[in-house]
Amino acid sequence: MSPAILESARQLADAEPGDSSMNFREKTAWLNVIAMAAAYALYFGLLLSGHPAGREVFPMLWLFGSIAIAHAVTVIIGTIILSAQAPKSERVRADERDRAIRRRGATAGYYVLLVGMMVVGVYLPFVESGVPVANAGLFAIVLAELVNSVVVLISYRRGWHG
């Protein structure tokens, strides 16, 4: 058993009942979920309200690019701030548990993405064309990434037992 797992187990054993402290990786997962939900809720909310990005290519590319850049900048700045506040012991490389939790989240996200892409690639071309199909694909990608992050958060909160 690696020293990182032993340290994690020691921290869990020392935690008080009801202790809601989070480690660095869980904090960054929360940061990603909140930033992603805010950014893409804005994007898809604008589309639903009739923004030209829902009908035309250039406005779609411009709006999506702006939202994606804002999301990335938010996550980068937030991660830098969280890194500066976290003790060095929490910022070590991911251990086996962290990697297993990431794999679990990626697997769940993969299945969501698979179903979304089947809908986008098999069904939507018969009922829509162009920009709505592209936006449906973007929605599937965002939803898959949100599922990935939420599964990671649940795994950290409820514990991962392999």
Side-chain angles (χ1 to χ4, degrees), residues 29 32-33 36 101-110 112 141-155:
N32 190 37
V33 165
M36 181 178 285
I101 287 172
R102 260 192 306 195
R103 273 194 306 274
R104 184 181 193 198
T107 300
Y110 168 77
V112 171
I141 292 169
V142 169
L143 184 63
E145 186 57 31
L146 276 174
V147 167
N148 175 9
S149 296
V150 168
V151 168
V152 166
L153 287 173
I154 290 172
S155 296

mmCIF file of all heavy atoms in Angstrom, residues 29 32-33 36 101-110 112 141-155:
data_model
loop_
_atom_site.group_PDB
_atom_site.id
_atom_site.type_symbol
_atom_site.label_atom_id
_atom_site.label_comp_id
_atom_site.label_asym_id
_atom_site.label_seq_id
_atom_site.Cartn_x
_atom_site.Cartn_y
_atom_site.Cartn_z
ATOM 1 N N ALA A 29 -12.554 19.833 -8.176
ATOM 2 C CA ALA A 29 -13.705 19.245 -8.872
ATOM 3 C C ALA A 29 -14.942 20.117 -8.679
ATOM 4 O O ALA A 29 -15.713 20.341 -9.616
ATOM 5 C CB ALA A 29 -13.954 17.821 -8.374
ATOM 6 N N ASN A 32 -14.631 23.119 -10.910
ATOM 7 C CA ASN A 32 -14.942 22.800 -12.301
ATOM 8 C C ASN A 32 -16.448 22.665 -12.520
ATOM 9 O O ASN A 32 -16.990 23.173 -13.504
ATOM 10 C CB ASN A 32 -14.223 21.516 -12.729
ATOM 11 C CG ASN A 32 -14.330 21.295 -14.208
ATOM 12 O OD1 ASN A 32 -14.287 22.237 -14.991
ATOM 13 N ND2 ASN A 32 -14.488 20.045 -14.602
ATOM 14 N N VAL A 33 -17.136 22.007 -11.611
ATOM 15 C CA VAL A 33 -18.585 21.829 -11.763
ATOM 16 C C VAL A 33 -19.301 23.175 -11.717
ATOM 17 O O VAL A 33 -20.163 23.460 -12.565
ATOM 18 C CB VAL A 33 -19.141 20.888 -10.671
ATOM 19 C CG1 VAL A 33 -20.647 20.972 -10.587
ATOM 20 C CG2 VAL A 33 -18.709 19.462 -10.944
ATOM 21 N N MET A 36 -18.407 25.257 -14.844
ATOM 22 C CA MET A 36 -19.020 24.688 -16.040
ATOM 23 C C MET A 36 -20.536 24.905 -16.044
ATOM 24 O O MET A 36 -21.113 25.299 -17.064
ATOM 25 C CB MET A 36 -18.711 23.191 -16.129
ATOM 26 C CG MET A 36 -19.300 22.535 -17.359
ATOM 27 S SD MET A 36 -18.877 20.815 -17.468
ATOM 28 C CE MET A 36 -17.192 20.965 -17.973
ATOM 29 N N ILE A 101 -11.041 7.091 -8.763
ATOM 30 C CA ILE A 101 -12.214 7.978 -8.774
ATOM 31 C C ILE A 101 -12.324 8.673 -10.128
ATOM 32 O O ILE A 101 -13.416 8.771 -10.698
ATOM 33 C CB ILE A 101 -12.118 8.995 -7.616
ATOM 34 C CG1 ILE A 101 -12.398 8.286 -6.291
ATOM 35 C CG2 ILE A 101 -13.052 10.164 -7.827
ATOM 36 C CD1 ILE A 101 -12.158 9.136 -5.066
ATOM 37 N N ARG A 102 -11.209 9.132 -10.666
ATOM 38 C CA ARG A 102 -11.246 9.773 -11.993
ATOM 39 C C ARG A 102 -11.706 8.801 -13.070
ATOM 40 O O ARG A 102 -12.470 9.161 -13.961
ATOM 41 C CB ARG A 102 -9.873 10.323 -12.347
ATOM 42 C CG ARG A 102 -9.768 11.807 -12.115
ATOM 43 C CD ARG A 102 -8.549 12.346 -12.720
ATOM 44 N NE ARG A 102 -7.409 11.561 -12.209
ATOM 45 C CZ ARG A 102 -6.166 11.915 -12.304
ATOM 46 N NH1 ARG A 102 -5.854 12.999 -12.922
ATOM 47 N NH2 ARG A 102 -5.217 11.177 -11.814
ATOM 48 N N ARG A 103 -11.225 7.562 -12.998
ATOM 49 C CA ARG A 103 -11.655 6.548 -13.989
ATOM 50 C C ARG A 103 -13.143 6.288 -13.890
ATOM 51 O O ARG A 103 -13.824 6.151 -14.897
ATOM 52 C CB ARG A 103 -10.892 5.238 -13.776
ATOM 53 C CG ARG A 103 -9.576 5.156 -14.480
ATOM 54 C CD ARG A 103 -9.050 3.733 -14.510
ATOM 55 N NE ARG A 103 -8.974 3.113 -13.202
ATOM 56 C CZ ARG A 103 -7.945 3.217 -12.377
ATOM 57 N NH1 ARG A 103 -6.880 3.894 -12.744
ATOM 58 N NH2 ARG A 103 -7.953 2.630 -11.207
ATOM 59 N N ARG A 104 -13.650 6.222 -12.666
ATOM 60 C CA ARG A 104 -15.077 5.983 -12.471
ATOM 61 C C ARG A 104 -15.900 7.121 -13.081
ATOM 62 O O ARG A 104 -16.893 6.894 -13.766
ATOM 63 C CB ARG A 104 -15.367 5.855 -10.976
ATOM 64 C CG ARG A 104 -16.773 5.523 -10.656
ATOM 65 C CD ARG A 104 -16.948 5.441 -9.159
ATOM 66 N NE ARG A 104 -18.221 4.835 -8.829
ATOM 67 C CZ ARG A 104 -18.783 4.941 -7.661
ATOM 68 N NH1 ARG A 104 -18.182 5.597 -6.690
ATOM 69 N NH2 ARG A 104 -19.935 4.383 -7.429
ATOM 70 N N GLY A 105 -15.495 8.358 -12.841
ATOM 71 C CA GLY A 105 -16.188 9.504 -13.418
ATOM 72 C C GLY A 105 -16.095 9.517 -14.938
ATOM 73 O O GLY A 105 -17.076 9.791 -15.634
ATOM 74 N N ALA A 106 -14.916 9.188 -15.459
ATOM 75 C CA ALA A 106 -14.749 9.175 -16.919
ATOM 76 C C ALA A 106 -15.607 8.094 -17.558
ATOM 77 O O ALA A 106 -16.160 8.299 -18.651
ATOM 78 C CB ALA A 106 -13.278 8.964 -17.266
ATOM 79 N N THR A 107 -15.753 6.964 -16.888
ATOM 80 C CA THR A 107 -16.590 5.894 -17.427
ATOM 81 C C THR A 107 -18.048 6.339 -17.498
ATOM 82 O O THR A 107 -18.714 6.143 -18.524
ATOM 83 C CB THR A 107 -16.461 4.630 -16.560
ATOM 84 O OG1 THR A 107 -15.090 4.219 -16.552
ATOM 85 C CG2 THR A 107 -17.333 3.511 -17.087
ATOM 86 N N ALA A 108 -18.545 6.940 -16.433
ATOM 87 C CA ALA A 108 -19.936 7.419 -16.437
ATOM 88 C C ALA A 108 -20.124 8.491 -17.505
ATOM 89 O O ALA A 108 -21.117 8.485 -18.244
ATOM 90 C CB ALA A 108 -20.313 7.952 -15.062
ATOM 91 N N GLY A 109 -19.176 9.418 -17.602
ATOM 92 C CA GLY A 109 -19.267 10.462 -18.617
ATOM 93 C C GLY A 109 -19.208 9.899 -20.020
ATOM 94 O O GLY A 109 -19.882 10.387 -20.935
ATOM 95 N N TYR A 110 -18.421 8.849 -20.201
ATOM 96 C CA TYR A 110 -18.313 8.219 -21.527
ATOM 97 C C TYR A 110 -19.668 7.679 -21.981
ATOM 98 O O TYR A 110 -20.052 7.859 -23.142
ATOM 99 C CB TYR A 110 -17.282 7.084 -21.490
ATOM 100 C CG TYR A 110 -17.320 6.206 -22.703
ATOM 101 C CD1 TYR A 110 -16.765 6.629 -23.901
ATOM 102 C CD2 TYR A 110 -17.953 4.966 -22.671
ATOM 103 C CE1 TYR A 110 -16.822 5.839 -25.024
ATOM 104 C CE2 TYR A 110 -18.014 4.167 -23.789
ATOM 105 C CZ TYR A 110 -17.446 4.606 -24.965
ATOM 106 O OH TYR A 110 -17.514 3.818 -26.077
ATOM 107 N N VAL A 112 -22.665 8.655 -21.083
ATOM 108 C CA VAL A 112 -23.545 9.785 -21.400
ATOM 109 C C VAL A 112 -23.173 10.368 -22.759
ATOM 110 O O VAL A 112 -24.043 10.650 -23.594
ATOM 111 C CB VAL A 112 -23.471 10.852 -20.288
ATOM 112 C CG1 VAL A 112 -24.203 12.117 -20.698
ATOM 113 C CG2 VAL A 112 -24.030 10.297 -18.992
ATOM 114 N N ILE A 141 -21.689 16.944 -25.049
ATOM 115 C CA ILE A 141 -20.323 17.005 -24.503
ATOM 116 C C ILE A 141 -20.329 17.652 -23.115
ATOM 117 O O ILE A 141 -19.711 17.143 -22.170
ATOM 118 C CB ILE A 141 -19.399 17.775 -25.470
ATOM 119 C CG1 ILE A 141 -19.208 16.971 -26.759
ATOM 120 C CG2 ILE A 141 -18.066 18.087 -24.808
ATOM 121 C CD1 ILE A 141 -18.538 17.742 -27.875
ATOM 122 N N VAL A 142 -21.036 18.759 -22.981
ATOM 123 C CA VAL A 142 -21.094 19.446 -21.683
ATOM 124 C C VAL A 142 -21.768 18.560 -20.639
ATOM 125 O O VAL A 142 -21.300 18.442 -19.498
ATOM 126 C CB VAL A 142 -21.821 20.802 -21.834
ATOM 127 C CG1 VAL A 142 -22.141 21.407 -20.478
ATOM 128 C CG2 VAL A 142 -20.978 21.756 -22.658
ATOM 129 N N LEU A 143 -22.863 17.906 -21.021
ATOM 130 C CA LEU A 143 -23.564 17.023 -20.088
ATOM 131 C C LEU A 143 -22.667 15.867 -19.650
ATOM 132 O O LEU A 143 -22.623 15.517 -18.458
ATOM 133 C CB LEU A 143 -24.850 16.495 -20.725
ATOM 134 C CG LEU A 143 -25.738 15.643 -19.837
ATOM 135 C CD1 LEU A 143 -26.243 16.456 -18.640
ATOM 136 C CD2 LEU A 143 -26.907 15.089 -20.634
ATOM 137 N N ALA A 144 -21.938 15.295 -20.579
ATOM 138 C CA ALA A 144 -21.029 14.186 -20.239
ATOM 139 C C ALA A 144 -19.947 14.649 -19.267
ATOM 140 O O ALA A 144 -19.612 13.943 -18.309
ATOM 141 C CB ALA A 144 -20.404 13.610 -21.503
ATOM 142 N N GLU A 145 -19.411 15.840 -19.484
ATOM 143 C CA GLU A 145 -18.379 16.348 -18.584
ATOM 144 C C GLU A 145 -18.953 16.669 -17.208
ATOM 145 O O GLU A 145 -18.312 16.437 -16.189
ATOM 146 C CB GLU A 145 -17.707 17.581 -19.194
ATOM 147 C CG GLU A 145 -16.535 18.074 -18.405
ATOM 148 C CD GLU A 145 -15.437 17.044 -18.171
ATOM 149 O OE1 GLU A 145 -15.258 16.166 -19.030
ATOM 150 O OE2 GLU A 145 -14.781 17.102 -17.128
ATOM 151 N N LEU A 146 -20.187 17.172 -17.167
ATOM 152 C CA LEU A 146 -20.823 17.423 -15.871
ATOM 153 C C LEU A 146 -21.054 16.120 -15.124
ATOM 154 O O LEU A 146 -20.824 16.033 -13.915
ATOM 155 C CB LEU A 146 -22.142 18.171 -16.057
ATOM 156 C CG LEU A 146 -22.034 19.675 -16.179
ATOM 157 C CD1 LEU A 146 -23.386 20.290 -16.497
ATOM 158 C CD2 LEU A 146 -21.476 20.283 -14.920
ATOM 159 N N VAL A 147 -21.509 15.088 -15.831
ATOM 160 C CA VAL A 147 -21.708 13.779 -15.191
ATOM 161 C C VAL A 147 -20.377 13.257 -14.659
ATOM 162 O O VAL A 147 -20.304 12.761 -13.531
ATOM 163 C CB VAL A 147 -22.365 12.780 -16.170
ATOM 164 C CG1 VAL A 147 -22.288 11.355 -15.651
ATOM 165 C CG2 VAL A 147 -23.811 13.175 -16.426
ATOM 166 N N ASN A 148 -19.344 13.390 -15.452
ATOM 167 C CA ASN A 148 -18.006 12.980 -15.018
ATOM 168 C C ASN A 148 -17.637 13.674 -13.703
ATOM 169 O O ASN A 148 -17.250 13.018 -12.724
ATOM 170 C CB ASN A 148 -17.002 13.305 -16.121
ATOM 171 C CG ASN A 148 -15.561 13.035 -15.731
ATOM 172 O OD1 ASN A 148 -15.272 12.445 -14.707
ATOM 173 N ND2 ASN A 148 -14.661 13.472 -16.565
ATOM 174 N N SER A 149 -17.786 14.985 -13.660
ATOM 175 C CA SER A 149 -17.400 15.742 -12.460
ATOM 176 C C SER A 149 -18.293 15.422 -11.272
ATOM 177 O O SER A 149 -17.818 15.326 -10.137
ATOM 178 C CB SER A 149 -17.447 17.245 -12.754
ATOM 179 O OG SER A 149 -16.494 17.581 -13.726
ATOM 180 N N VAL A 150 -19.578 15.243 -11.502
ATOM 181 C CA VAL A 150 -20.492 14.941 -10.396
ATOM 182 C C VAL A 150 -20.188 13.555 -9.816
ATOM 183 O O VAL A 150 -20.199 13.371 -8.594
ATOM 184 C CB VAL A 150 -21.965 15.054 -10.858
ATOM 185 C CG1 VAL A 150 -22.911 14.466 -9.827
ATOM 186 C CG2 VAL A 150 -22.309 16.519 -11.115
ATOM 187 N N VAL A 151 -19.895 12.592 -10.656
ATOM 188 C CA VAL A 151 -19.524 11.258 -10.157
ATOM 189 C C VAL A 151 -18.232 11.343 -9.341
ATOM 190 O O VAL A 151 -18.113 10.695 -8.286
ATOM 191 C CB VAL A 151 -19.405 10.250 -11.322
ATOM 192 C CG1 VAL A 151 -18.746 8.953 -10.864
ATOM 193 C CG2 VAL A 151 -20.773 9.968 -11.917
ATOM 194 N N VAL A 152 -17.292 12.148 -9.787
ATOM 195 C CA VAL A 152 -16.055 12.339 -9.014
ATOM 196 C C VAL A 152 -16.381 12.935 -7.645
ATOM 197 O O VAL A 152 -15.885 12.471 -6.611
ATOM 198 C CB VAL A 152 -15.059 13.224 -9.795
ATOM 199 C CG1 VAL A 152 -13.932 13.710 -8.903
ATOM 200 C CG2 VAL A 152 -14.506 12.463 -10.983
ATOM 201 N N LEU A 153 -17.242 13.955 -7.628
ATOM 202 C CA LEU A 153 -17.601 14.580 -6.353
ATOM 203 C C LEU A 153 -18.320 13.610 -5.432
ATOM 204 O O LEU A 153 -18.036 13.547 -4.226
ATOM 205 C CB LEU A 153 -18.472 15.808 -6.603
ATOM 206 C CG LEU A 153 -17.741 17.005 -7.164
ATOM 207 C CD1 LEU A 153 -18.719 18.106 -7.523
ATOM 208 C CD2 LEU A 153 -16.708 17.505 -6.190
ATOM 209 N N ILE A 154 -19.249 12.854 -5.969
ATOM 210 C CA ILE A 154 -19.967 11.875 -5.145
ATOM 211 C C ILE A 154 -19.005 10.828 -4.604
ATOM 212 O O ILE A 154 -19.094 10.431 -3.436
ATOM 213 C CB ILE A 154 -21.104 11.228 -5.963
ATOM 214 C CG1 ILE A 154 -22.217 12.260 -6.207
ATOM 215 C CG2 ILE A 154 -21.666 9.999 -5.251
ATOM 216 C CD1 ILE A 154 -23.292 11.794 -7.171
ATOM 217 N N SER A 155 -18.070 10.420 -5.425
ATOM 218 C CA SER A 155 -17.098 9.416 -4.978
ATOM 219 C C SER A 155 -16.221 9.957 -3.849
ATOM 220 O O SER A 155 -15.901 9.229 -2.908
ATOM 221 C CB SER A 155 -16.219 8.972 -6.149
ATOM 222 O OG SER A 155 -16.996 8.334 -7.127
#
